[in-house]
Amino acid sequence: MTPTPIALGPTRTPLLEKAITAAGGEPAELDRARALIWNGGPAGFPDRLPAGIEWVQLFSAGVEEWFGTPVFDRHRDVVFTSAAGAFAHSVAEHTLMLLLAGVRQLPAHLAARGWRHKELAPRMGTLRGATVAVVGAGGIGRELIDMLAPLGARVIAVNRSGAPIDRPGVVETVPADRLSEIWSRVDHVVVAAPATRETRHLVGRAELARLKPTSWVINIARGSLVDTDALVEALRAGTIAGAGLDVTDPEPLPDGHPLWDLPNAMVTPHDSNPHQLRSVAFAEHVTDNVSRFVQGRELLARIDVAAGY
């Protein structure tokens, strides 16, 4: 069987060339390729693609920055896929770390300069028997659900359609248009939904006010999904117990921002998927999708331009 020509840009790396070859593809120049693996951002993406290009694989899982460019409009006949799901395990692991750290009062323990057992022990919780809302039960959300199940957590999964998620620990699946029903019913919230116009400030003052004073809010999606000003107010007032953020709005979070000084806020610098892990995971995703393309099967993480992700 003749290998399928696949272009690679803007940077050709041995890791991605190997990923293409392993799947039945052959690294090729753009003008004779049937697909393009793009490991960069929107800047520098070709204004025009050769007529033979049928599919483009993008490097990022979140593609909101691409919707601010004319790329999708210019290439309406080309299938675009994201890397959604490729980095799920690494990000889910980081998410679980933040959630457990919050529930077990790790920030307060790390800040302590003395034995504070009487003060901290009564504030410590557990995920066993706790109800966790996973808002955005896609690749990352499902990985997290699998990690929460052995800990005894109950999950209310929120997805776009409300189609039931049959996984251990999931007690209910709620469609996104019924999200308002869950806030007073859960112990903790994990935000893992895509960033679109509809999901901006998905968690705001009204939502935070309905959570419990023992609730932790974890955001590993995009900063825009949480109203930062409302979150700072809630953290200061003790409306919720705390927040774990790998993404912020604005991002990078500037020096001197209140979130840096709040004792019940944990901020990591958008490194739940560090480069050394991301490169390998993306190469595995490329191998899977090139194999599917070569065999004429459905591609993973196809971008729905109308939906915005």
Side-chain angles (χ1 to χ4, degrees):
M1 183 176 177
T2 303
T4 301
I6 308 286
L8 178 59
T11 305
R12 292 183 67 152
T13 68
L15 183 63
L16 288 177
E17 289 181 341
K18 183 178 179 180
I20 291 170
T21 303
E26 176 188 25
E29 296 302 318
L30 185 61
D31 58 2
R32 73 176 192 88
R34 290 181 54 200
L36 168 63
I37 310 300
W38 186 257
N39 61 352
F45 191 83
D47 290 337
R48 294 286 180 268
L49 290 172
I53 298 294
E54 305 166 37
W55 160 54
V56 174
Q57 170 68 59
L58 302 181
F59 180 69
S60 55
V63 292
E64 63 274 9
E65 64 177 335
W66 289 84
F67 281 92
T69 74
V71 169
F72 297 138
D73 285 336
R74 285 176 176 168
H75 309 297
R76 294 177 182 270
D77 296 331
V78 176
V79 173
F80 282 83
T81 57
S82 73
F87 315 124
H89 186 88
S90 175
V91 179
E93 186 177 81
H94 195 92
T95 307
L96 181 61
M97 175 198 70
L98 290 173
L99 181 56
L100 273 172
V103 170
R104 303 296 288 188
Q105 294 295 315
L106 187 60
H109 282 90
L110 292 174
R113 293 297 177 266
W115 198 263
R116 296 170 57 189
H117 173 75
K118 290 184 178 179
E119 175 189 348
L120 295 179
R123 292 160 48 187
M124 292 174 64
T126 178
L127 290 179
R128 185 174 181 81
T131 301
V132 179
V134 177
V135 182
I140 296 169
R142 290 172 187 246
E143 283 280 342
L144 177 64
I145 289 168
D146 290 345
M147 294 177 183
L148 288 170
L151 300 178
R154 294 158 45 89
V155 172
I156 295 179
V158 180
N159 59 20
R160 187 180 179 190
S161 66
I165 295 177
D166 185 16
R167 266 178 153 79
V170 177
V171 296
E172 186 178 354
T173 306
V174 175
D177 60 7
R178 288 175 46 206
L179 182 60
S180 61
E181 300 176 11
I182 73 163
W183 304 107
S184 60
R185 299 174 51 205
V186 302
D187 295 297
H188 309 290
V189 176
V190 171
V191 182
T196 66
R197 289 190 297 271
E198 291 73 24
T199 59
R200 177 172 173 76
H201 289 183
L202 193 72
V203 181
R205 284 182 177 83
E207 292 74 25
L208 291 166
R210 295 179 62 193
L211 293 173
K212 300 173 182 177
T214 52
S215 295
W216 279 79
V217 173
I218 310 298
N219 185 10
I220 47 75
R222 289 292 187 268
S224 62
L225 276 72
V226 175
D227 182 337
T228 301
D229 292 340
L231 180 64
V232 168
E233 291 174 14
L235 292 171
R236 283 174 170 163
T239 304
I240 61 172
L245 310 170
D246 188 51
V247 290
T248 59
D249 183 17
E251 187 173 310
L253 192 67
D255 293 349
H257 192 280
L259 285 171
W260 289 122
D261 296 319
L262 286 166
N264 52 351
M266 295 179 288
V267 180
T268 56
H270 205 151
D271 62 359
S272 61
N273 183 37
H275 177 75
Q276 66 272 22
L277 302 181
R278 185 167 63 246
S279 298
V280 174
F282 181 65
E284 292 172 351
H285 183 76
V286 166
T287 294
D288 198 348
N289 252 358
V290 169
S291 177
R292 287 167 176 266
F293 180 72
V294 168
Q295 296 172 28
R297 297 160 54 209
E298 183 178 357
L299 295 171
L300 296 172
R302 182 166 175 159
I303 296 171
D304 184 337
V305 175
Y309 62 94

